[in-house]
């Protein structure tokens, strides 16, 4: 604030030297009063010291009260689980709230006393606003710690009941509700801290006036995130999946490790973590092996020889499962599942308290049965049978040999009629029989019975062609 300095009009002086010695001061340069500046700095320092020592006394008193509260809650926590969890999660927030509350009260007392003697300064406003924001942040921290303590108390109470399915369901729902409450608490704390600024209070009024349009724009911009949030709430309320459930998602088997408002963490058998959005479980099918309980059933098959001793193998299975610590006693059966081709398929069905135990039991029984078969019944191991038959195979005549035999047959048949003219008429049949016998003996001389039959057929064909003039030398 600029204050115009007015100088009184110069009065005539009787001493001419006084007027002559007066030097004019430069115009436009503010005059600095060093004494007033020193007084202002001193006053501000005194005010800061006053506020600081009163706030410090309040901090000490608040810390003492906080430690007393923690000691009382620790003593009560020996009998009540809720108080024990409050101490575990809220020890540091309680101390912070105690210190900030004492600082706030001490600074308010000092500022009230100063306001009686002077108006508010920038330093006083900054101190008051900073202490107020620190108190709001510490209270928000404490309320979040209380929400975590309540969640832990509910979960541990459900786990102590002995029903694992109910415990998993309560754990999942408690985690989701705690996260929702935590988000609401943090947002409320931030809004409260921002509202300490007067300029923001006026802006907040106009923002609330346009909340309808802003909500529509925000919903369109954060559609994916809001979809995951609502999907997470749906998973928690419908109890579709729970923490420690064993699921199969996209051909990946794993255990539900964590469920948040926006994503689900699945731990696979090889300790990998699959991070899947919550909408994946509401929009796609998946298998939940422990939805109705943790008990599971598994099986495996063995391909054995037809001579396998089924009764002995079944007795060995009973002995193995009786000696195992992971079998729950519900079922352990062995049956012939299939008998087609060269093998007999044997199926072994086993049960356990959870899929992990079933997997371990299957591996154990499979290894022991293979060892027993190798040791006690090696003839039952799978094998492939081949039957060899002795078949007599004669070599077919070559083309030249067949042609030569055919020529001999033709020559003998041509010589037949001339011999028959000298014989009696009733011996025609004997001559034909003689010719056929001679041809048969000639073909038999080539070495095989099959050659005789083949020679007859081919000889007739060649003879027919010779009579028609189609057979000649090559």
């Amino acid at each position: 604030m600029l204050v115009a300095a007015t100088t009184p009009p110069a009065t005539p002086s009787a001493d001419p030297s006084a007027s002559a010695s007066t030097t004019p001061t430069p115009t436009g340069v503010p005059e600095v009063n060093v004494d007033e500046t020193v007084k202002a700095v001193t006053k501000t320092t005194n005010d800061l010291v006053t506020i600081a020592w009163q706030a410090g006394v309040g901090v000490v008193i608040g810390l003492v009260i906080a430690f007393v509260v923690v000691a009382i809650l620790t003593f009560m926590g020996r009998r009540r689980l809720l108080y024990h969890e409050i101490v575990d999660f809220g020890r540091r927030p309680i101390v912070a709230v105690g210190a900030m509350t004492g600082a706030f009260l001490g600074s308010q007392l000092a500022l009230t006393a100063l306001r009686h003697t002077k108006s508010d300064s920038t330093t006083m406003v900054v101190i008051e606003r900073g202490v107020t924001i620190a108190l709001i942040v510490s209270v928000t921290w404490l309320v979040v710690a209380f929400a975590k303590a309540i969640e832990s108390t509910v979960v541990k109470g459900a786990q102590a009941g002995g029903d694992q399915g109910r415990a998993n369901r309560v754990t999942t729902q408690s985690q989701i509700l705690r996260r929702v409450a935590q988000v609401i608490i943090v947002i409320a704390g931030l809004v409260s801290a921002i509202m300490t600024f007067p300029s923001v209070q006026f802006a907040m009024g106009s923002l609330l006036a346009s909340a309808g349009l802003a909500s529509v724009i925000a919903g369109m911009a954060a559609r994916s995130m809001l979809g995951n949030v609502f999907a997470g709430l749906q998973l928690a309320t419908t109890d579709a999946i729970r923490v420690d459930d064993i699921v199969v998602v996209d051909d990946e088997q794993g255990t539900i490790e964590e469920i948040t408002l926006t994503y689900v963490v699945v731990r696979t058998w090889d300790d990998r973590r699959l991070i899947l959005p919550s909408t994946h479980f509401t929009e796609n099918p998946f298998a939940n092996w422990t939805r109705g309980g943790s008990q599971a059933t598994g099986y495996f098959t063995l391909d054995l020889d037809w001579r396998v001793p089924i009764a002995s193998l079944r007795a060995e299975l009973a002995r193995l499962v009786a000696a195992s610590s992971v079998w729950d006693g519900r079922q352990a059966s062995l049956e012939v599942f299939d008998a087609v081709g060269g093998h007999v398929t044997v199926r072994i069905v086993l049960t356990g308290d959870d899929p992990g135990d079933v997997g371990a039991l299957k591996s154990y029984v499979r290894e022991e049965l293979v060892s027993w078969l190798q040791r006690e019944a090696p003839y039952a191991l799978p094998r492939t049978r081949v039957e060899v038959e002795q078949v007599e195979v004669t070599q077919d005549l070559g083309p030249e040999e067949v042609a030569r035999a055919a020529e001999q047959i033709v020559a003998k048949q041509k010589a037949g009629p001339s011999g028959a003219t000298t014989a009696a008429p009733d011996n025609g049949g004997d001559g034909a029989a003689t010719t056929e016998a001679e041809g048969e003996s000639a073909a038999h001389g080539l070495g095989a019975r099959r050659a005789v039959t083949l020679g007859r057929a081919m000889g007739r064909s060649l003879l027919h062609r010779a009579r028609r003039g189609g057979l000649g030398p090559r």
Side-chain angles (χ1 to χ4, degrees):
M1 180 178 181
L2 298 178
V3 179
T6 58
T7 59
T11 57
S13 175
D15 189 1
S17 62
S19 59
S21 61
T22 303
T23 59
T25 59
T27 59
V29 178
E31 296 182 357
V32 179
N33 194 333
V34 178
D35 294 336
E36 291 182 359
T37 303
V38 172
K39 289 181 181 180
V41 171
T42 304
K43 183 63 176 177
T44 303
T45 304
N46 292 333
D47 294 344
L48 289 176
V49 171
T50 302
I51 296 173
W53 79 264
Q54 291 191 14
V57 172
V59 168
V60 172
I61 296 174
L63 289 176
V64 172
I65 295 176
F67 284 121
V68 172
V69 172
V70 170
I72 294 174
L73 290 176
T74 303
F75 176 76
M76 298 176 64
R78 298 176 181 176
R79 298 181 180 180
R80 297 290 299 273
L81 180 61
L82 177 61
Y83 299 135
H84 177 75
E85 297 299 325
I86 290 176
V87 173
D88 287 345
F89 289 97
R91 185 187 303 273
R92 287 181 292 178
I94 289 174
V95 173
V97 169
M100 290 297 101
T101 302
F104 177 78
L105 295 177
S107 62
Q108 287 296 320
L109 291 176
L111 291 173
T112 303
L114 292 175
R115 288 191 179 99
H116 289 296
T117 59
K118 58 181 296 187
S119 60
D120 288 346
S121 63
T122 304
T123 304
M124 296 170 62
V125 173
V126 170
I127 293 175
E128 182 179 14
R129 192 164 297 158
V131 174
T132 303
I133 292 175
L135 178 61
I136 292 174
V137 171
S138 61
V139 171
T140 303
W141 187 14
L142 180 61
V143 176
V144 171
F146 281 163
K148 292 181 179 179
I150 294 174
E151 176 206 359
S152 179
T153 302
V154 173
V155 170
K156 289 184 178 180
Q159 292 176 351
D163 188 353
Q164 188 63 34
R166 180 178 178 274
N168 294 338
R169 181 173 62 254
V170 171
T171 300
T172 303
Q173 295 176 353
S174 300
Q175 286 183 354
I176 297 296
L177 294 177
R178 191 263 301 168
R179 288 188 173 94
V180 173
Q182 183 173 342
V183 171
I184 295 174
I185 293 168
V186 171
I187 293 176
L190 292 176
V191 171
S192 300
I194 294 174
M195 290 292 290
T196 58
F197 297 92
S199 59
V200 177
Q201 295 178 1
F202 294 103
M204 191 64 67
S206 61
L207 180 63
L208 293 176
S210 61
L213 180 61
S215 61
V216 172
I217 296 175
M220 294 178 63
R223 181 175 56 184
S224 177
M225 184 185 68
L226 293 177
N228 285 324
V229 170
F230 287 116
L233 293 175
Q234 181 181 350
L235 292 177
T237 55
T238 58
D239 198 23
I241 56 175
R242 301 163 297 186
V243 176
D244 293 334
D245 274 353
I246 298 177
V247 297
V248 178
V249 183
D250 296 337
D251 297 331
E252 289 282 355
Q253 178 183 346
T255 303
I256 300 295
E257 188 175 51
E258 185 180 4
I259 301 176
T260 66
L261 286 176
T262 56
Y263 63 88
V264 179
V265 181
V266 181
R267 185 183 73 252
T268 60
W269 65 273
D270 53 355
D271 287 336
R272 290 182 294 115
R273 265 66 175 180
L274 301 179
I275 311 299
L276 301 172
S278 299
T279 53
H280 186 86
F281 290 89
T282 57
E283 297 177 356
N284 301 299
F286 62 94
N288 190 342
W289 287 8
T290 56
R291 177 66 177 81
S294 60
Q295 294 178 338
T297 302
Y299 73 92
F300 65 93
T301 60
L302 295 175
D303 290 334
L304 303 174
D305 191 74
W306 285 79
R307 295 177 295 174
V308 58
I310 299 298
S312 301
L313 192 62
R314 188 176 287 116
E316 179 65 15
L317 172 64
R319 186 189 68 82
L320 292 175
V321 296
S324 176
S325 60
V326 295
W327 183 52
D328 62 352
R330 288 190 298 130
Q331 184 180 3
S333 62
L334 185 148
E335 56 188 7
V336 178
F337 179 70
D338 200 356
V340 178
H343 301 93
V344 173
T345 302
V346 177
R347 183 173 65 179
I348 293 92
V349 181
L350 302 169
T351 59
D353 291 333
D354 53 66
D357 290 346
V358 172
L361 184 61
K362 286 166 55 179
S363 300
Y364 167 72
V365 172
R366 186 185 294 111
E367 293 175 3
E368 293 297 326
L369 288 181
V370 170
S371 300
W372 183 84
L373 289 171
Q374 293 174 348
R375 184 179 62 254
E376 301 294 336
Y379 55 87
L381 297 176
R383 63 190 63 196
T384 302
R385 292 180 173 84
V386 177
E387 183 178 358
V388 180
E389 296 183 355
Q390 297 294 334
V391 179
E392 182 180 357
V393 180
T394 59
Q395 185 177 2
D396 293 339
L397 297 177
E400 296 181 354
E401 296 176 348
V402 172
R404 192 179 301 114
E407 290 177 357
Q408 293 177 3
I409 295 173
V410 171
K412 290 184 177 295
Q413 288 182 351
K414 287 182 179 180
S418 59
T421 55
T422 58
D426 57 350
N427 291 336
D430 295 340
T434 303
T435 302
E436 185 177 357
E438 290 177 353
E440 219 172 81
S441 61
H444 183 70
L446 296 177
R449 181 180 301 174
R450 186 176 181 183
V452 174
T453 305
L454 183 60
R456 288 178 179 176
M458 296 187 68
R460 293 191 185 96
S461 177
L462 292 174
L463 180 60
H464 180 69
R465 291 175 59 189
R467 289 177 178 175
R468 295 178 59 184
L471 182 63
R474 296 184 180 180

